[in-house]
Amino acid sequence: IPIAFASAMAAAIIPTIAQLVAIKDLKSSKEKIHQAVKTIMIISIPSAVGLGVLAKPVIQLLFPTEAGLEVAGYSLMALAISVVFYALSTLSSSILQGIGKVNAPIINAVLALIIQTVTLVPMLFLTEWNVYALAIASTVYSGAMCILNQISVRKALGYKQEIVGTFILPTLAAVCMGVGAWAVYAGMYFLTKSNVISLIPSILIAVVIYFVLLILFKGINEEELKAMPKGYMLVRLAKKCRLM
């Protein structure tokens, strides 16, 4: 879902960024990129944390069987962080294409594939990680692609991503959310012994925890919240709850 959201946002901002770069309005183009990156991180970071913390319950919900549950759960944990990397690399690839650097994402993908291969082969031959090695290698690929694309964007536009508000504060709120989600799930599972009954409320409560903490930590302001889908409704809700 966050990767699909990144793809949709990328398609929406490409014409704007291309137009701004064409008229050499680099300041406005950088502001658009910053807004897009922050919006995607606010969504993908908690998604990654949630998948990591609730990996086994999610797998069990989708595939209600005990066969392979542990392996699938740990594999999903290993892949969870790739949600952030793939979302960001999807956006940055579209940005590069929008400003005329159409070959850069292809070159970066080849380099990332080489890095993935160099990482994967020793793990397959020298360890007994098996499927976990594949999950780790996939995460390495997405991370390498993300970093290489960001370097290309920086070289092309002189763009430097703001770190604290875009990455650190959402991550802090997401980690607290993850702790709360797991506590709710574990508590309800202890009482009900039902995965579905325990998982759904934990996800809903996690959303509330993240929303509240992100605002309290100053990870998002009113204007940024309004720019998000259903932003005006979220602002009204935040003000009604005296969070803003």
Side-chain angles (χ1 to χ4, degrees):
I1 292 175
I3 296 172
F5 183 81
S7 299
M9 174 164 285
I13 70 167
I14 285 175
T16 302
I17 292 176
Q19 182 180 15
L20 291 171
V21 171
I23 62 176
K24 301 187 184 305
D25 188 353
L26 295 182
K27 182 179 178 180
S28 297
S29 65
K30 291 177 184 179
E31 290 175 354
K32 287 290 183 182
I33 294 172
H34 169 74
Q35 180 184 348
V37 171
K38 185 166 184 177
T39 300
I40 288 175
M41 289 301 98
I42 285 174
I43 294 172
S44 62
I45 289 175
S47 299
V49 172
L51 281 176
V53 171
L54 299 174
K56 286 187 179 180
V58 168
I59 291 293
Q60 193 173 6
L61 177 67
L62 297 175
F63 307 99
T65 176
E66 293 296 326
L69 177 60
E70 184 174 353
V71 173
Y74 285 125
S75 298
L76 183 56
M77 287 181 187
L79 288 167
I81 187 62
S82 66
V83 170
V84 177
F85 295 148
Y86 275 122
L88 187 54
S89 62
T90 297
L91 176 64
S92 54
S93 292
S94 297
I95 291 171
L96 289 169
Q97 292 170 356
I99 61 176
K101 303 293 183 179
V102 293
N103 291 328
I106 300 173
I107 295 172
N108 292 339
V110 173
L111 293 175
L113 182 60
I114 294 172
I115 295 171
Q116 180 194 39
T117 304
V118 171
T119 303
L120 177 61
V121 172
M123 286 192 294
L124 289 178
F125 285 98
L126 302 179
T127 72
E128 296 181 356
W129 293 351
N130 301 322
V131 70
Y132 301 130
L134 299 175
I136 293 170
S138 179
T139 301
V140 168
Y141 172 84
S142 62
M145 185 70 180
C146 175
I147 293 171
L148 292 171
N149 275 357
Q150 287 297 104
I151 293 173
S152 297
V153 172
R154 184 172 181 174
K155 286 182 178 179
L157 298 176
Y159 174 74
K160 186 177 180 180
Q161 183 63 46
E162 183 271 337
I163 301 297
V164 176
T166 304
F167 299 104
I168 295 179
L169 294 179
T171 299
L172 181 59
V175 169
C176 296
M177 174 210 76
V179 173
W182 176 251
V184 171
Y185 176 84
M188 293 199 66
Y189 191 81
F190 177 78
L191 295 174
T192 64
K193 304 300 180 184
S194 170
N195 182 60
V196 176
I197 294 176
S198 304
L199 180 60
I200 294 177
S202 67
I203 293 174
L204 297 177
I205 292 174
V207 172
V208 175
I209 292 174
Y210 178 71
F211 178 70
V212 171
L213 290 180
L214 187 64
I215 295 175
L216 293 180
F217 291 163
K218 308 297 182 183
I220 190 169
N221 57 39
E222 183 174 338
E223 293 304 315
E224 290 170 337
L225 191 57
K226 286 180 179 178
M228 297 183 67
K230 302 292 183 181
Y232 284 88
M233 182 186 72
L234 294 174
V235 168
R236 288 196 299 269
L237 178 62
K239 290 183 175 179
K240 190 173 182 180
C241 297
R242 299 185 183 278
L243 297 174
M244 283 185 169

